[in-house]
């Protein structure tokens, strides 16, 4: 593949501009940041932790967590480390920071100080600046990742990486389409190219930074092939800028066979496309997200969903699982509820650790279907971009060749309508311009007609609505009452 890396001089100029966008940017001195990162001990490096976990066949657990004030946030992370036994720690960023609204984040910090409770839904890392981030990463003993949902994360990446974080979530597609309404894809992909180049720059200088595209997208009935195609494209873009530690993600769909097949096919397909593009010197891991859709309000039911997700991640052979909490239906969890989700997950994962991987005919069937779907989509996307994944992604979303269901963005067609088949697998009812071959198209149609017959109704939009609410009401398939 031709060298698409941002040239050094352009990148240096862009860095100066990004760092001048908000006063705390001046706290980033690239040379000093590099020395600081070089001194982070190996057992606090995210890339090393996921590599070692995978080598040992250990499924790592990670929560989500973030509050407005530094001391509060440190207390939270220490609690999750000690009482939740989290293997990896997060810092979830607040919604203002995700939108680059730092003045409003500053008011949120003030209000939180006055009320002694978090008035932001995450940690405003840009406002706290490099020293505030370092206090956080130095106060815990596990590697810490930045988790967010930011279309333009350039300044956030600069400050948090200089602040000792060793992993950065997101991507130019996965942190735009599900998170923003109006940001053009070309813009977010260009801004994420900067983030990837920044990580690549650290890599070149001997500091490994883990990168994790956001696999679940809108988290609602997303067919595996859609998330996989986006993840592989973002992986290609990241590797193209020099990233070497890459974690691709998948959000639990609910069908055991389809979920296990999705985990396995994601690893296999990503390796295939990365090698085909000429990359060999990278470390790939897979993260499984426990159920990202609507949760039951009842905490006992929520625990069941959490444990089921942990079990599927283990049976599928994922390397990491992002854990939910019994407070999911209510909002931001307490630290106690967060640790409960971790401990419940740990019990399931530990009991399955020695049982090997599950293989069934249904898993094999789904694996073949997903692989075929992803190849249909990606061959068209890459053709549209003449081999360039960034150009291909922009053209594909414009043409509806790639489409994300239930997304707020005007830059995806939103034509695709997913629903469950009679066994609970997510299929596509209306596929818009997604380029399946005729066998695949017939397969989806037949599977949905089978369900319609079993339910004595025709395939219709009502099934989509029924499926969206089914899990929170205690079922997988949204059957008529
Ligand atoms: N702390 C804990 N969890 C959070 N989430 C979002 N922000 C936070 C936070 N500050 C979780 C939501 C949802 C997922 C997308 O992220 O509860 O599970």
């Amino acid at each position: 593949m031709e060298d698409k890396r941002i040239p050094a001089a352009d990148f240096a100029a862009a860095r100066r501009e990004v760092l001048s966008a908000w006063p705390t940017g001046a706290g980033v001195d690239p040379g000093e940041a590099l020395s600081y990162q070089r001194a982070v001990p190996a057992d606090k490096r995210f890339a090393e932790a996921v590599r070692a976990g995978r080598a040992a066949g250990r499924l790592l657990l990670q929560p989500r967590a973030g509050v407005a004030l530094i001391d509060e946030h440190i207390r939270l992370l220490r609690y999750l480390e000690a009482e939740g036994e989290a293997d990896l720690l997060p810092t979830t960023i607040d919604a203002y920071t995700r939108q680059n609204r730092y003045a409003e984040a500053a008011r949120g910090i003030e209000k939180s100080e006055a009320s002694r409770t978090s008035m932001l839904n995450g940690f405003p890392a840009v406002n706290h600046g490099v020293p505030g981030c370092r206090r956080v990463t130095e106060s815990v003993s596990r590697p810490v990742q930045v988790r967010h949902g930011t279309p333009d994360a350039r300044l956030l990446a600069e400050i948090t990486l200089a602040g000792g974080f060793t992993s950065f979530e997101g991507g130019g597609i996965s942190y735009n389409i599900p998170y923003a309404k109006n940001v053009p894809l070309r813009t977010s992909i260009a801004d994420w190219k900067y983030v990837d180049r920044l990580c690549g720059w650290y890599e070149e200088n001997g500091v490994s930074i883990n990168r994790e595209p956001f696999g679940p997208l809108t988290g609602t009935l997303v067919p595996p092939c859609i998330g996989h195609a986006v993840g592989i494209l973002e992986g290609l873009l990241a590797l193209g800028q020099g990233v070497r530690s890459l974690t691709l993600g998948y959000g639990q769909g609910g069908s055991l066979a389809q979920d296990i097949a999705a985990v396995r096919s994601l690893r296999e397909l990503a390796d295939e496309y990365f090698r085909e593009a000429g990359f060999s010197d990278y470390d790939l891991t897979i993260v499984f997200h426990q159920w990202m859709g609507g949760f039951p309000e009842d905490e006992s039911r929520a625990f069941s969903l959490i444990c089921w997700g942990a079990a599927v991640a283990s049976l599928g052979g994922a390397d990491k699982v992002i854990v939910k909490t019994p407070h999911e239906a209510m909002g931001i969890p307490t630290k106690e509820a967060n640790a409960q989700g971790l401990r419940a997950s740990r019990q399931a994962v530990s009991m399955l650790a020695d049982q090997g991987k599950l293989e069934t005919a249904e898993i094999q069937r789904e694996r073949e279907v997903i692989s075929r779907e992803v190849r249909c989509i990606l061959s068209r996307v890459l053709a549209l971009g003449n081999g360039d994944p960034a150009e291909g992604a922009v053209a594909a979303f414009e043409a509806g060749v790639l489409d994300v269901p239930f997304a707020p963005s005007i830059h995806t067609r939103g034509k695709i309508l997913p629903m469950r088949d009679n066994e609970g697998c997510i299929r596509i009812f209306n596929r818009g311009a997604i380029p399946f071959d005729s066998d695949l198209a017939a397969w989806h149609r037949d599977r949905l007609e089978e369900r319609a017959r079993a339910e004595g109704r025709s395939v219709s939009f009502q099934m989509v609505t029924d499926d969206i609410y089914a899990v929170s009401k205690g079922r997988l398939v949204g059957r008529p009452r």
Side-chain angles (χ1 to χ4, degrees):
M1 199 160 85
E2 77 184 281
D3 193 1
K4 289 268 184 172
R5 284 196 190 181
I6 305 176
D10 295 359
F11 184 56
R15 289 188 82 172
R16 283 191 292 276
E17 197 182 311
V18 166
L19 294 176
S20 65
W22 186 256
T24 51
V28 178
D29 168 346
E32 189 273 341
L34 207 51
S35 319
Y36 182 84
Q37 274 283 356
R38 283 195 181 121
V40 172
D43 61 355
K44 283 180 71 175
R45 296 220 70 88
F46 217 94
E48 177 51 25
V50 289
R51 189 207 57 76
R54 172 158 168 68
R58 241 170 63 74
L59 175 55
L60 305 178
L61 304 189
Q62 183 183 13
R64 294 185 175 90
V67 288
L69 303 179
I70 298 171
D71 289 322
E72 256 29 73
H73 187 59
I74 290 172
R75 250 194 291 283
L76 172 59
L77 294 191
R78 282 188 169 157
Y79 187 87
L80 296 174
E81 192 169 63
E83 303 298 322
E85 293 170 40
D87 297 299
L88 300 163
L89 291 171
T91 286
T92 301
I93 304 299
D94 70 289
Y96 287 130
T97 303
R98 294 177 186 203
Q99 303 290 326
N100 313 93
R101 289 157 63 175
Y102 310 124
E104 285 153 286
R107 279 200 289 283
I109 293 172
E110 281 166 25
K111 282 193 209 156
S112 305
E113 278 161 352
S115 66
R116 303 171 143 271
T117 149
S118 182
M119 299 299 279
L120 294 174
N121 61 359
F123 182 77
V126 168
N127 291 70
H128 288 314
V130 175
C133 289
R134 287 184 182 178
R135 270 184 57 207
V136 171
T137 55
E138 286 172 14
S139 298
V140 295
S141 60
R142 302 287 156 84
V144 202
Q145 179 185 46
V146 184
R147 302 190 66 88
H148 47 129
T150 311
D152 176 4
R154 294 172 299 167
L155 182 58
L156 178 66
E158 286 279 9
I159 287 177
T160 52
L161 296 182
F165 288 84
T166 53
S167 174
F168 202 78
E169 196 193 22
I173 306 167
S174 63
Y175 267 7
N176 176 352
I177 301 295
Y179 285 97
K181 191 174 169 203
N182 288 316
V183 179
L185 205 49
R186 196 177 286 284
T187 307
S188 58
I189 288 178
D191 290 340
W192 274 87
K193 191 173 185 179
Y194 177 107
V195 173
D196 285 328
R197 183 79 276 272
L198 181 62
C199 298
W201 175 80
Y202 275 105
E203 283 285 349
E204 280 153 27
N205 288 286
V207 171
S208 191
I209 302 291
N210 171 257
R211 279 277 294 110
E212 182 184 325
F214 180 61
L217 300 175
T218 50
T220 306
L221 295 176
V222 179
C225 62
I226 301 290
H228 285 20
V230 170
I232 291 167
L233 288 169
E234 292 188 340
L236 286 168
L237 294 171
L239 295 173
Q241 296 302 318
V243 166
R244 289 173 59 194
S245 173
L246 189 68
T247 304
L248 292 187
Y250 169 74
Q252 180 179 14
S255 146
L256 175 68
Q258 193 175 39
D259 283 339
I260 290 179
V263 168
R264 295 182 187 160
S265 62
L266 179 55
R267 197 192 301 277
E268 200 172 71
L269 289 160
D271 271 327
E272 177 184 314
Y273 278 91
F274 297 163
R275 283 171 197 284
E276 175 69 28
F279 300 111
S280 52
D281 187 21
Y282 62 86
D283 190 43
L284 174 66
T285 42
I286 303 295
V287 53
F288 183 91
H289 294 250
Q290 290 177 357
W291 181 249
M292 293 293 284
F295 249 69
E297 276 177 37
D298 176 51
E299 294 193 17
S300 303
R301 287 173 181 266
F303 275 122
S304 174
L305 189 51
I306 287 167
C307 297
W308 173 238
V312 176
S314 178
L315 292 168
D319 304 305
K320 176 173 98 167
V321 55
I322 302 283
V323 170
K324 286 273 180 170
T325 82
H327 286 178
E328 178 59 25
M330 277 71 84
I332 307 285
T334 60
K335 63 183 190 315
E336 291 82 7
N338 215 330
Q340 284 181 318
L342 282 162
R343 289 202 303 272
S345 298
R346 178 71 69 192
Q347 176 78 17
V349 165
S350 304
M351 290 181 69
L352 284 164
D354 303 313
Q355 298 198 40
K357 306 296 167 240
L358 186 65
E359 192 59 90
T360 67
E362 287 78 12
I363 293 170
Q364 276 170 13
R365 178 194 71 201
E366 293 305 319
R367 199 166 165 174
E368 280 160 29
V369 169
I370 294 168
S371 299
R372 192 159 170 173
E373 293 168 342
V374 170
R375 290 193 186 104
C376 280
I377 295 171
L378 282 182
S379 64
R380 183 72 66 83
V381 175
L382 293 171
L384 283 170
N386 286 317
D388 178 59
E391 288 302 325
V394 171
F397 271 95
E398 262 166 27
V401 162
L402 265 173
D403 194 13
V404 175
F406 314 116
S409 175
I410 59 165
H411 300 289
T412 189
R413 291 252 177 126
K415 284 266 189 315
I416 176 180
L417 270 188
M419 58 173 71
R420 294 191 190 281
D421 70 11
N422 209 39
E423 294 171 8
C425 290
I426 298 169
R427 309 290 180 204
I428 302 177
F429 167 42
N430 181 352
R431 67 174 201 284
I434 303 228
F436 286 166
D437 59 40
S438 55
D439 286 353
L440 277 176
W443 161 260
H444 281 256
R445 197 173 48 241
D446 292 350
R447 302 298 295 189
L448 292 176
E449 269 160 17
E450 182 189 29
R451 170 178 171 188
R453 277 195 303 280
E455 293 180 359
R457 56 176 173 171
S458 51
V459 179
S460 73
F461 188 76
Q462 186 58 43
M463 285 183 182
V464 183
T465 322
D466 292 344
D467 287 347
I468 289 174
Y469 294 105
V471 170
S472 63
K473 291 180 181 170
R475 305 280 294 271
L476 180 61
V477 182
R479 309 277 189 203
R481 291 266 157 206

